[in-house]
């Protein structure tokens, strides 16, 4: 297990979902350099709703299939975007963001939400980041498998 996933596993001992996700967002933010946003969008009522995060004010609702987060959630696949300005339908919550990685959190083919990280650097994210964050997403999925956003 990678270091970040190990940290997240320890943070998952927190019984309150909201508090746990807030600390995981902080852990992601502390473990990644050259980023300007790190957090979660949680699946509710056929859309993604803003969850705990670190960074500037963000979009609160993202339709499925829209932007990087909505596309990742719809396809249930990680997306790495080298230049968000070239991603058709990109939702610009922060104009300083230039690259992005979005990793879906899925338990038994059921979408729980996504991990979203933005960077002010172009081409900031790579396959190593993808592998690390997908492991983090698995840890979170196992912890949040029964979570519904209405409990937050």
């Amino acid at each position: 297990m990678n270091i970040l996933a190990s940290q997240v596993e320890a943070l998952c001992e927190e019984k309150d979902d909201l508090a746990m996700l807030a600390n995981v967002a902080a852990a992601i933010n502390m473990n990644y350099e050259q980023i300007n946003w790190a957090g979660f969008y949680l699946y509710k009522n056929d859309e993604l709703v803003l969850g705990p995060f670190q960074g500037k004010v963000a979009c609160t609702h993202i339709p499925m299939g829209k932007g990087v987060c909505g596309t990742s959630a719809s396809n249930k696949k990680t997306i790495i975007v080298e230049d968000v300005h070239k991603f058709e339908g990109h939702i610009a919550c922060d104009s300083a963001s230039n690259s992005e990685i979005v990793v879906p959190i899925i338990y038994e083919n059921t979408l729980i939400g996504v991990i979203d990280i933005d960077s002010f650097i172009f081409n900031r994210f790579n396959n190593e980041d993808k592998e690390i964050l997908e492991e983090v997403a698995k840890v979170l999925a196992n912890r949040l498998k029964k979570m519904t956003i209405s409990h937050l």
Side-chain angles (χ1 to χ4, degrees), residues 24-72:
V24 172
I28 291 169
N29 190 54
M30 288 176 12
N31 277 278
Y32 277 87
E33 296 178 358
Q34 300 177 317
I35 65 170
N36 56 316
W37 202 93
F40 301 96
Y41 281 93
L42 304 170
Y43 183 66
K44 179 183 180 183
N45 298 328
D46 295 321
E47 69 176 353
L48 295 173
V49 178
L50 181 65
F53 69 94
Q54 300 272 306
K56 292 183 178 180
V57 172
C59 304
T60 54
H61 297 268
I62 298 176
M64 294 297 287
K66 300 295 182 185
V68 182
C69 289
T71 302
S72 173

Side-chain angles (χ1 to χ4, degrees), residues 104-119:
I105 304 167
I106 299 165
Y107 183 79
E108 293 182 351
N109 207 35
T110 299
L111 179 69
I112 297 169
V114 299
I115 301 168
D116 180 21
I117 307 176
D118 295 357
S119 174

